[in-house]
Amino acid sequence: MNVKEALAFADEVVFAKTGKHLDDMQVGVIEGVLKRQKYGDIAQALNCTEGYAKDVGYELWELFSDAFGEEVNKLNLRSALIRKSRISNVTGGVITGHHVTHNHVIGSVNICTSQEESPEFLRGKQRAKMEAIQRLQAIGLSDEQIAQCLDMTLEEIRQVDLTE
């Protein structure tokens, strides 16, 4: 998931939750966090105080935590967005808490493996796959259908089943 895709999904989640799109300051904070910048650098780029950038971030983390049903903060924003966007794309809506809001979905998100991905990122990716598989099994899809939906092999689906 690149920064542009993450911002689009974050905007979709915020809109589903509040009825408002991200403003410039919120976009700047999310973009800075996704680029692993410190609040001081984010504030400088946004021409505001570090304290204000932190306040904007705090409000966003609270909103995402509420929408996703899990704690979201500066350190896990990327992995939370990846997990929830994968589930959202599979279910055809935006995850808000424990419910799925069906509205405009912004395409599929391609998650590419690179050597720069951290172990935390890779664990988040694996967790997202497991959550998606469990949700699809819960609605009655076969392993073959799940493999097709998630563009995975049948063997990969069955390996995830065994690790639960």
Side-chain angles (χ1 to χ4, degrees), residues 21-35:
H21 290 284
L22 291 170
D23 63 32
D24 291 346
M25 203 56 84
Q26 292 169 320
V27 167
V29 169
I30 293 170
E31 185 174 13
V33 167
L34 292 174
K35 291 179 178 178

Side-chain angles (χ1 to χ4, degrees), residues 40 64 122 162:
F64 289 132
L122 295 173
L162 297 175

Side-chain angles (χ1 to χ4, degrees), residues 102-120:
H102 291 275
N103 60 4
H104 175 68
V105 177
I106 300 171
S108 63
V109 177
N110 295 321
I111 300 178
C112 302
T113 304
S114 76
Q115 293 184 3
E116 299 171 6
E117 293 176 347
S118 69
E120 177 187 326

Side-chain angles (χ1 to χ4, degrees), residues 51-110:
Y52 184 70
K54 284 182 180 179
D55 288 346
V56 170
Y58 178 79
E59 290 175 8
L60 286 166
W61 315 153
E62 289 294 306
L63 187 145
F64 289 132
S65 294
D66 184 47
F68 296 160
E70 66 177 77
E71 183 184 347
V72 176
N73 57 47
K74 182 180 179 192
L75 299 176
N76 71 357
L77 175 65
R78 180 183 302 273
S79 58
L81 289 173
I82 289 169
R83 275 194 308 282
K84 298 305 178 178
S85 69
R86 285 287 291 212
I87 293 168
S88 172
N89 285 324
V90 169
T91 61
V94 175
I95 307 295
T96 53
H98 299 289
H99 306 289
V100 177
T101 302
H102 291 275
N103 60 4
H104 175 68
V105 177
I106 300 171
S108 63
V109 177
N110 295 321

